Amino acid sequence: MPRNWKAIAYALNFKEKIIVTLLIAVIGAALVFWGNILYKHFTVEIPKAGGEYVEGIVGQPLYINPLISQTSEADADLTQLIYSGLFKYDKDGNIVPDLAQEYSLSEDKKEYKIVLKQNVLWHDGEKLDAQDVFFTYKIMLDQAYNSLLRQSFQGVEMRLVDDSTIIFVLKNPYAGFINNLTVGILPKHIWENIAPEKFSLAEYNLHPIGSGPYMFSDFQKDAGGNILTLKLAANKNFYNGAPYISRITFNFYPDDESLINAYNEKEIMGMSSIPPQNLKDIKNMKSTVVHELVIPRYFSVFFNQTKSVPLADDNVRKALEKGVDRQEIINNILAGKGLALKSPFFPQMKGYVQQSTDVNVEEARKILDEAGWKMDEKDNVRKKNNAALEFEMITADWPEIVQTAETLKKQWENLGAKVNVKVLSAVSDLQQNYIRTREYDSLLFGQATNFSPDLYSFWHSSQKRDQGLNLSLMDNKDVDKLLEDSRQEMDEGKRIESYQKFQEILAQEVPAVFLYGRYYLYPVNTKVQNINTKSINSPEQRFAEVEKWYVKTKRVFK
């Protein structure tokens, strides 16, 4: 300390020294405060590479392989991160190029010419080219490999032009074909010498090599052989730019309860999905963002008019539709986490026709009265020509669906109908003895589409019987024509017109009562930034644009 300052210090008494010390501390704090304010004013926060994200999943990985991962969400999630397809879905559920640099369609709309991006590398450093694409689709079409995707590619032929170009040839134009090109591509140099009978047993199903944003690193098993954790590392050579998050680790749990406990104990930073009723069990909600993703899966009551006399009456079906309080179901059973629907179309789909989903009990009763369905006070049910307005509703033993069935039963009994709910504990029983045989009066069930829907298999008359999915046994020539035309129409405007006319016919005939679409709930810690996904066609697509997520930041001058 300089002599003059020492002199001043000696001249001050104890009280004065305390005051001076406090003033210096205040000035120092003020400088730090305003310095921080100025620093933040003249700088911006940007993502920084590094860090780890840990997610919990219910289930076990077995086939991290795009051709055989369809039966397990754990497999599908990991496949989404490790592999790339020719096309992919973006954060809004729209299809966009991925490995494809560009594509063109022939004049007759039957040939798709795909040109690949250049300099795409597999995780082992080998170059990815059209040979890999050709190989992947060739074995997918080979029955010996038992891929569930084979059926969607029947009748498609392929031609290799060169190492960057491949052509797919269809027998007939199909507007939804691009959706079939989102399948992850396998590396030919890894899989070409693996025989079909060894395909599902190959070690590469658990040590995968892909070309996606993340690459397999390691996993740990317990004494029983169950995989506890699986680690992925950022692919620094990823063609869309290296991901910000350096590591993604997946922990695997046996059930939802264990998953939520792990989240509450901060073992994990995110959960693959939880039912709406379990949101209340999250303890650290202040540090959680629950991403409500729209997924095109709808639940409906499908009417079989060939099995039930009352349900064959147009007026009965219209009355039942008007008497449904969808919002009651969404609020009480889904904790408000759902969309009320009047058709298979969601508001996010092109061609969606907005219709009122409000309940109108008085209008429903009026329709039944005018149609001759009068209330029998003795039996407490409406009757017409000695036939009671009574029918059975079949559904699966899943809490959400059972509660929905019981709510519908009360709502429709309020109109004068008698509904006998039958809950089947075994899914196989429901599929084999009721759905396949169409042995039901009505069926409360869910169906999954995508944001570019092809509804042919769900509503075309040719799909009324097993193996079709026309659960209402709808048989309408106008609907058939609209569905046939829309799947072959490449002009989006004309396709939208067909969709709208189709919805108008559904509203008139009421072959089913559409209820709701439940949000896919994806809880993630607030530390994980830039998750902008809004709509997904399937759960694994929540990782759309995962390479842009980040957990670390830095500040730079503007």
Side-chain angles (χ1 to χ4, degrees):
M1 181 181 292
R3 290 181 180 180
N4 54 338
W5 284 105
K6 287 184 178 180
I8 293 172
Y10 283 124
L12 297 174
N13 60 37
F14 179 73
K15 183 176 180 180
E16 291 170 334
K17 288 179 179 178
I18 292 176
I19 293 173
V20 170
T21 301
L22 290 174
L23 286 172
I24 291 173
V26 169
I27 292 170
L31 288 172
V32 171
F33 174 78
W34 287 107
N36 188 51
I37 292 293
L38 289 170
Y39 176 68
K40 289 185 176 180
H41 177 75
F42 289 107
T43 62
V44 292
E45 191 174 72
I46 64 171
K48 177 184 176 182
E52 181 180 23
Y53 169 59
V54 184
E55 180 163 309
I57 295 177
V58 173
Q60 279 281 296
L62 185 61
Y63 303 119
I64 310 172
N65 180 326
L67 300 192
I68 51 176
S69 63
Q70 290 70 43
T71 58
S72 162
E73 286 197 11
D75 288 337
D77 290 345
L78 292 163
T79 297
Q80 176 78 10
L81 292 167
I82 294 171
Y83 289 93
S84 307
L86 292 174
F87 293 83
K88 65 180 180 179
Y89 295 99
D90 66 12
K91 62 184 177 61
D92 297 311
N94 300 315
I95 197 161
V96 294
D98 192 6
L99 290 172
Q101 177 67 37
E102 59 185 51
Y103 79 99
S104 57
L105 191 57
S106 63
E107 189 174 345
D108 65 1
K109 313 300 182 186
K110 295 180 183 180
E111 291 191 7
Y112 289 77
K113 182 179 180 181
I114 313 290
V115 179
L116 301 184
K117 286 183 169 74
Q118 297 296 309
N119 303 317
V120 175
L121 300 178
W122 292 107
H123 293 158
D124 62 1
E126 294 291 321
K127 189 176 186 300
L128 184 153
D129 61 28
Q131 294 278 355
D132 297 298
V133 178
F134 186 87
F135 169 79
T136 300
Y137 282 97
K138 182 181 177 182
I139 65 172
M140 185 180 81
L141 281 165
D142 189 336
Q143 191 171 1
Y145 287 85
N146 294 318
S147 172
L148 294 177
L149 300 173
R150 177 173 172 268
Q151 190 61 38
S152 65
F153 224 70
Q154 289 296 299
V156 179
E157 296 180 356
M158 298 176 290
R159 294 202 308 269
L160 270 176
V161 178
D162 52 43
D163 281 349
S164 299
T165 311
I166 187 170
I167 293 175
F168 295 93
V169 183
L170 283 60
K171 290 182 178 179
N172 298 296
Y174 176 40
F177 179 69
I178 291 291
N179 293 280
N180 294 338
L181 299 181
T182 58
V183 180
I185 302 303
L186 292 173
K188 179 182 178 183
H189 67 281
I190 295 293
W191 289 93
E192 64 181 336
N193 294 321
I194 297 175
E197 61 271 17
K198 301 291 185 181
F199 188 68
S200 63
L201 304 174
E203 66 170 320
Y204 292 108
N205 287 315
L206 285 178
H207 294 79
I209 293 175
S211 58
Y214 284 87
M215 53 200 300
F216 172 79
S217 175
D218 191 18
F219 62 69
Q220 289 82 43
K221 292 183 177 181
D222 62 15
N226 297 306
I227 296 177
L228 300 175
T229 66
L230 190 147
K231 298 179 182 295
L232 304 178
N235 177 10
K236 295 181 180 180
N237 295 318
F238 186 50
Y239 49 88
N240 281 339
Y244 285 114
I245 299 178
S246 296
R247 300 177 305 281
I248 294 183
T249 297
F250 289 94
N251 292 353
F252 303 97
Y253 300 92
D255 49 47
D256 287 334
E257 183 179 358
S258 302
L259 180 68
I260 293 175
N261 287 339
Y263 186 79
N264 288 334
E265 294 297 323
K266 299 184 179 181
E267 293 177 13
I268 55 178
M269 302 167 69
M271 294 180 276
S272 55
S273 174
I274 63 170
Q277 58 269 27
N278 289 358
L279 284 174
K280 65 183 186 305
D281 298 326
I282 297 177
K283 294 179 181 178
N284 45 338
M285 190 58 82
K286 288 185 179 180
S287 60
T288 300
V289 175
V290 180
H291 298 274
E292 298 179 0
L293 310 181
V294 179
I295 186 168
R297 295 178 175 178
Y298 58 87
F299 287 88
S300 309
V301 179
F302 298 93
F303 297 135
N304 185 349
Q305 299 175 43
T306 67
K307 295 289 292 183
S308 170
V309 172
L311 294 178
D313 188 325
D314 294 351
N315 293 298
V316 168
R317 299 193 308 279
K318 289 177 181 178
L320 294 174
E321 194 280 325
K322 288 188 176 295
V324 171
D325 189 340
R326 295 168 176 81
Q327 207 56 50
E328 179 188 2
I329 296 172
I330 292 171
N331 292 341
N332 296 344
I333 300 174
L334 305 181
K337 306 303 183 182
L339 291 168
L341 298 175
K342 283 288 287 282
S343 81
F345 279 75
F346 284 64
Q348 293 76 14
M349 294 178 180
K350 294 176 180 178
Y352 168 75
V353 175
Q354 185 172 2
Q355 304 175 65
S356 173
T357 57
D358 294 341
V359 60
N360 193 332
V361 174
E362 293 308 313
E363 178 66 19
R365 289 173 177 165
K366 181 180 178 182
I367 290 172
L368 292 171
D369 286 338
E370 292 180 352
W373 291 93
K374 303 299 182 181
M375 194 70 184
D376 185 323
E377 301 297 340
K378 180 181 177 181
D379 293 333
N380 197 32
V381 65
R382 288 180 182 268
K383 292 182 178 179
K384 179 179 180 181
N385 300 327
N386 295 321
L389 206 173
E390 180 179 2
F391 60 93
E392 187 176 64
M393 180 162 56
I394 305 289
T395 196
D397 189 8
W398 183 29
E400 176 186 314
I401 300 302
V402 173
Q403 292 177 54
T404 299
E406 292 299 330
T407 300
L408 288 170
K409 174 183 172 71
K410 292 178 182 178
Q411 291 179 358
W412 284 339
E413 286 181 346
N414 188 38
L415 302 180
K418 183 177 181 181
V419 183
N420 303 309
V421 175
K422 184 173 184 177
V423 179
L424 299 174
S425 57
V427 175
S428 59
D429 185 17
L430 178 64
Q431 289 285 352
Q432 296 296 323
N433 299 321
Y434 293 90
I435 293 179
R436 289 189 64 179
T437 60
R438 304 297 197 257
E439 289 293 328
Y440 49 81
D441 294 341
S442 66
L443 172 69
L444 174 55
F445 201 63
Q447 292 183 327
T449 61
N450 63 46
F451 288 103
S452 299
D454 176 9
L455 298 171
Y456 183 93
S457 61
F458 298 114
W459 298 100
H460 194 275
S461 63
S462 66
Q463 307 298 303
K464 290 190 303 182
R465 304 298 175 189
D466 189 46
Q467 305 278 324
L469 297 173
N470 183 349
L471 301 180
S472 290
L473 284 76
M474 190 167 190
D475 194 340
N476 182 296
K477 292 181 180 180
D478 291 333
V479 165
D480 286 352
K481 183 70 164 56
L482 290 169
L483 295 175
E484 291 162 7
D485 290 347
S486 63
R487 70 187 333 223
Q488 294 190 25
E489 180 56 68
M490 309 307 291
D491 184 306
E492 185 177 78
K494 293 180 180 178
R495 198 161 62 247
I496 286 174
E497 288 180 13
S498 294
Y499 290 157
Q500 292 173 338
K501 290 176 182 177
F502 167 65
Q503 290 171 79
E504 290 171 4
I505 295 174
L506 285 184
Q508 293 167 3
E509 294 205 0
V510 195
V513 171
F514 298 91
L515 301 172
Y516 63 84
R518 194 185 85 176
Y519 292 133
Y520 182 93
L521 302 178
Y522 184 33
V524 180
N525 188 280
T526 52
K527 292 180 181 179
V528 187
Q529 299 291 306
N530 210 32
I531 301 179
N532 295 317
T533 306
K534 302 297 181 186
S535 303
I536 57 176
N537 287 288
S538 54
E540 69 273 10
Q541 289 167 26
R542 67 186 182 278
F543 294 116
E545 301 182 358
V546 66
E547 67 273 13
K548 297 179 182 179
W549 299 7
Y550 59 89
V551 293
K552 289 185 172 293
T553 60
K554 62 181 178 180
R555 301 197 73 88
V556 297
F557 285 96
K558 297 178 181 178

